[in-house]
Amino acid sequence: MSLILIVEDEADLQQVLAYNLRQAGHEVLTASTGEAALALVRQRPPDLVVLDLMLPGVTGIEVCRLIKSDPTTRQVAVLILTAKGAEIDRVVGFELGADDYVVKPFSVRELALRIQAILRRGQAPAETGRSVEFGKLRIDRDAHRVWVEDKEVPLTALEFRLLGALFDRRDRVQSRATLLDEVWGVSSELETRTVDTHVKRLREKLGAAGPYIETVRGVGYRFCASPDSASPSSSSSSE
């Protein structure tokens, strides 16, 4: 059983979500404002937050930012549930560290499946020996930390998953559709340009290690086979 916090100011929708999640066997907490949500998260961090963006007072965007920027709560999964469906809104949500983004109106069944997918990822057993070095890059999966040339690079949960998905398949091309499915857990809900935006931002954050992620024109992306094989121009290639 997982603890889920629903942050939604529409009372009827809040009740529907709470009922269905309890029926699915979860323990559910509810909040109608951003302030109340943050207080609950700090008091008892849930496994997942279902978060509306358009809240009175502290907005959902700010709630997500505060959850993901606090070391004590950054591992709390956040699923944004909102009527704001523009691509720029999705990109902002994912850049803040949201684990998924669902647009209203929505299917309760689809939402339940997405929640299950997020919770499964969070409950996956930790592997041993997951600290690896690759040229200028060092990744510690258990600590969820990344360093480039011994300087720590702060990544969002989604950026960390994107880096891991590419790194684990070194020297193999990953299409944008494959990355959407692997990292975002969706196949058609997001524009493939969302992948390009996140890869560009990830490269920028990685700095000297950014060229390890190569663009394969017309196909997708590939993490180079070895640090020495990375092309200095790969991170600036046209998408």
Side-chain angles (χ1 to χ4, degrees):
M1 179 175 66
S2 299
L3 176 62
I4 298 177
L5 170 62
I6 299 171
V7 189
E8 172 60 62
D9 63 330
E10 294 183 28
D12 290 345
L13 179 55
Q14 184 190 102
Q15 291 174 8
V16 168
L17 291 172
Y19 172 80
N20 281 276
L21 290 175
R22 288 186 177 116
Q23 287 294 105
H26 301 294
E27 181 180 356
V28 177
L29 300 176
T30 60
S32 301
T33 66
E35 293 89 343
L38 289 170
L40 287 171
V41 169
R42 290 162 181 160
Q43 179 182 357
R44 185 185 175 194
D47 298 295
L48 181 142
V49 177
V50 178
L51 178 63
D52 184 24
L53 292 186
M54 294 179 283
L55 298 169
V58 178
T59 66
I61 285 291
E62 183 65 6
V63 171
C64 184
R65 186 188 70 78
L66 290 171
I67 290 174
K68 292 298 186 177
S69 63
D70 187 336
T72 63
T73 60
R74 67 173 50 155
Q75 296 305 317
V76 172
V78 175
L79 182 150
I80 291 176
L81 182 64
T82 178
K84 301 179 71 172
E87 184 177 1
I88 184 61
D89 295 315
R90 296 173 183 265
V91 170
V92 169
F94 282 123
E95 286 182 342
L96 287 172
D99 296 83
D100 204 349
Y101 195 109
V102 176
V103 178
K104 301 174 183 177
F106 61 94
S107 158
V108 173
R109 177 169 173 75
E110 179 189 0
L111 180 67
L113 291 173
R114 287 174 178 259
I115 287 173
Q116 288 177 16
I118 295 172
L119 293 174
R120 279 198 303 270
R121 291 200 298 266
Q123 294 168 356
E127 300 173 15
T128 59
R130 298 205 301 170
S131 180
V132 295
E133 293 189 16
F134 185 92
K136 301 171 183 178
L137 177 67
R138 179 158 61 96
I139 304 172
D140 188 331
R141 295 181 190 267
D142 292 330
H144 219 269
R145 301 169 72 184
V146 173
W147 294 262
V148 175
E149 296 182 323
D150 294 325
K151 181 178 180 180
E152 186 166 3
V153 178
L155 298 182
T156 66
L158 189 139
E159 289 166 347
F160 193 87
R161 289 205 303 273
L162 177 58
L163 175 61
L166 290 165
F167 181 82
D168 289 343
R169 297 167 178 81
R170 293 182 293 285
D171 202 31
R172 292 164 54 191
V173 179
Q174 303 300 301
S175 70
R176 292 168 175 82
T178 296
L179 290 170
L180 276 175
D181 182 63
E182 175 76 14
V183 179
W184 281 264
V186 297
S187 57
S188 61
E189 290 297 315
L190 294 172
E191 297 291 337
T192 54
R193 287 186 60 184
T194 298
V195 177
D196 298 335
T197 300
H198 280 79
V199 169
K200 181 176 183 292
R201 184 175 177 85
L202 177 59
R203 282 171 170 160
E204 290 172 349
K205 286 191 173 185
L206 293 179
Y212 294 163
I213 302 174
E214 303 171 336
T215 299
V216 180
R217 293 176 183 273
V219 183
Y221 298 96
R222 173 179 58 213
F223 204 96
C224 64
S226 69
D228 295 336
S229 68
S231 170
S233 62
S234 65
S235 63
S236 59
S237 298
S238 172
E239 309 299 343

